[in-house]
Amino acid sequence: MAEKKRLGELIVEANLITEADLNKALRLQVGGIRRLGYILIKMGLISEEQLQTVLSRQLDLPLVRVENEFNPEVKNILPGYLCRKYSVIPLNTGENNTLKMAMVDPSDREAVSDIENYTGKVVQPVLASKSDISANIRSRIPWSPREIFNPQTFSRWTAVISVLAIILIIITAVQFYQYRQQVRYGKVTQSAQSITYENHELLLGFDDQNKVSLLGRGAHASGYYSVTFNNTESLRSFLAVKKDDFSTEQLEWLTWAMNNPRSK
């Protein structure tokens, strides 16, 4: 018996593409898992309807509507990732251990072989459009845990997990930065009339008249301060005299608050 012709040869014989077109599509197919018919459609060389017409006529296979042929009893016989990988969907089982399978490309020997090895059944292919098969995979083939660990979708899960991990790292970094800022600079409260800095048991306020108030306790002082100054320079002079009453951290923080552009 003569060997069945490949899909590319059938489409060339139907005068839908040239040999040059076919060779270009085959070069694009090398090293990938994309089917030739899909590549030709994406290249704009043929339409889905033309592909189905060629296959139906040359392979003597009927063109079906999935919804008219699908038996819910076979919904778990083939996982969704294999259905999507080969653009196929099981329809029903028959005598002699056969599995009727709607396929975009029944000449795809790799698809038939993999499906037969997976199911242990003999594939009986029929034709259906890619859009029809894809829509019914979504609505009729249930999700299963096997979807996570298959080579086709595992990379997508890895990408999703990687993105989530990056987002988590960014959120953690932002929160850590905000925490460090809080520890270093304390709390800042601003209104139309004033701005107040609070940290290290001290409260430093600046009003819209540039008057400055200092409240709180120096780390080495015996009592609490409640002092108002006419301007920032007066506060600087006060701190120069009373610097021994404050810790290094308090003095650094007070200097930052006085130099902050919002306090001027």
Side-chain angles (χ1 to χ4, degrees):
M1 179 182 295
E3 184 179 353
K4 288 186 177 180
K5 294 182 178 179
R6 294 179 180 273
L7 174 62
E9 296 172 327
L10 299 176
I11 298 176
V12 170
E13 288 184 2
N15 294 319
L16 296 175
I17 63 173
T18 65
E19 287 284 353
D21 292 331
L22 175 60
N23 290 332
K24 184 175 181 180
L26 290 173
R27 285 194 297 271
L28 292 174
Q29 187 187 32
V30 170
I33 61 172
R34 295 173 298 174
R35 292 171 299 281
L36 179 61
Y38 176 80
I39 293 175
L40 291 170
I41 291 173
K42 284 295 184 180
M43 291 174 67
L45 297 174
I46 62 173
S47 66
E48 184 176 1
E49 292 74 20
Q50 288 174 323
L51 174 63
Q52 299 303 314
T53 299
V54 170
L55 289 171
S56 179
R57 183 176 66 249
Q58 298 292 340
L59 300 179
D60 193 25
L61 292 174
L63 181 63
V64 303
R65 292 282 298 174
V66 172
E67 62 180 348
N68 297 332
E69 302 278 340
F70 186 81
N71 184 341
E73 292 182 358
V74 301
K75 65 181 182 180
N76 293 312
I77 202 168
L78 198 66
Y81 75 88
L82 280 180
C83 293
R84 289 188 294 272
K85 178 179 180 180
Y86 294 119
S87 288
V88 302
I89 187 170
L91 298 177
N92 53 64
T93 56
E95 297 179 351
N96 301 318
N97 196 36
T98 58
L99 175 63
K100 192 174 184 180
M101 181 76 60
M103 305 182 66
V104 169
D105 182 5
S107 67
D108 189 338
R109 299 173 184 176
E110 179 186 357
V112 172
S113 177
D114 282 0
I115 293 167
E116 288 183 338
N117 288 335
Y118 186 93
T119 62
K121 295 183 177 296
V122 179
V123 170
Q124 176 190 350
V126 293
L127 277 168
S129 69
K130 181 178 177 63
S131 55
D132 188 21
I133 289 175
S134 297
N136 280 279
I137 290 173
R138 290 192 297 269
S139 62
R140 300 181 188 274
I141 303 300
W143 183 90
S144 74
R146 289 176 293 181
E147 297 280 346
I148 300 177
F149 301 105
N150 74 86
Q152 185 183 16
T153 60
F154 184 74
S155 59
R156 291 199 294 270
W157 279 99
T158 302
V160 169
I161 293 171
S162 298
V163 170
L164 291 177
I166 292 172
I167 292 173
L168 182 60
I169 290 171
I170 292 173
I171 292 173
T172 302
V174 169
Q175 291 177 338
F176 180 72
Y177 174 78
Q178 291 173 339
Y179 169 76
R180 289 295 301 272
Q181 292 292 96
Q182 180 74 20
V183 170
R184 182 176 181 182
Y185 299 116
K187 181 180 178 182
V188 180
T189 305
Q190 189 167 7
S191 68
Q193 291 77 33
S194 66
I195 180 169
T196 303
Y197 299 88
E198 185 177 355
N199 202 16
H200 300 301
E201 298 185 271
L202 296 173
L203 189 149
L204 191 63
F206 300 83
D207 64 18
D208 55 0
Q209 302 300 316
N210 204 33
K211 288 187 176 183
V212 186
S213 59
L214 174 64
L215 304 174
R217 188 177 74 86
H220 307 302
S222 57
Y224 286 83
Y225 288 108
S226 178
V227 190
T228 300
F229 303 92
N230 289 326
N231 51 54
T232 303
E233 292 306 317
S234 298
L235 172 60
R236 292 184 193 276
S237 299
F238 173 82
L239 292 176
V241 174
K242 297 290 187 179
K243 63 181 179 180
D244 292 337
D245 289 353
F246 300 92
S247 68
T248 301
E249 290 80 6
Q250 286 179 319
L251 289 172
E252 289 178 351
W253 175 76
L254 286 166
T255 300
W256 168 81
M258 288 186 291
N259 292 333
N260 192 306
R262 291 175 296 179
S263 68
K264 292 182 179 179

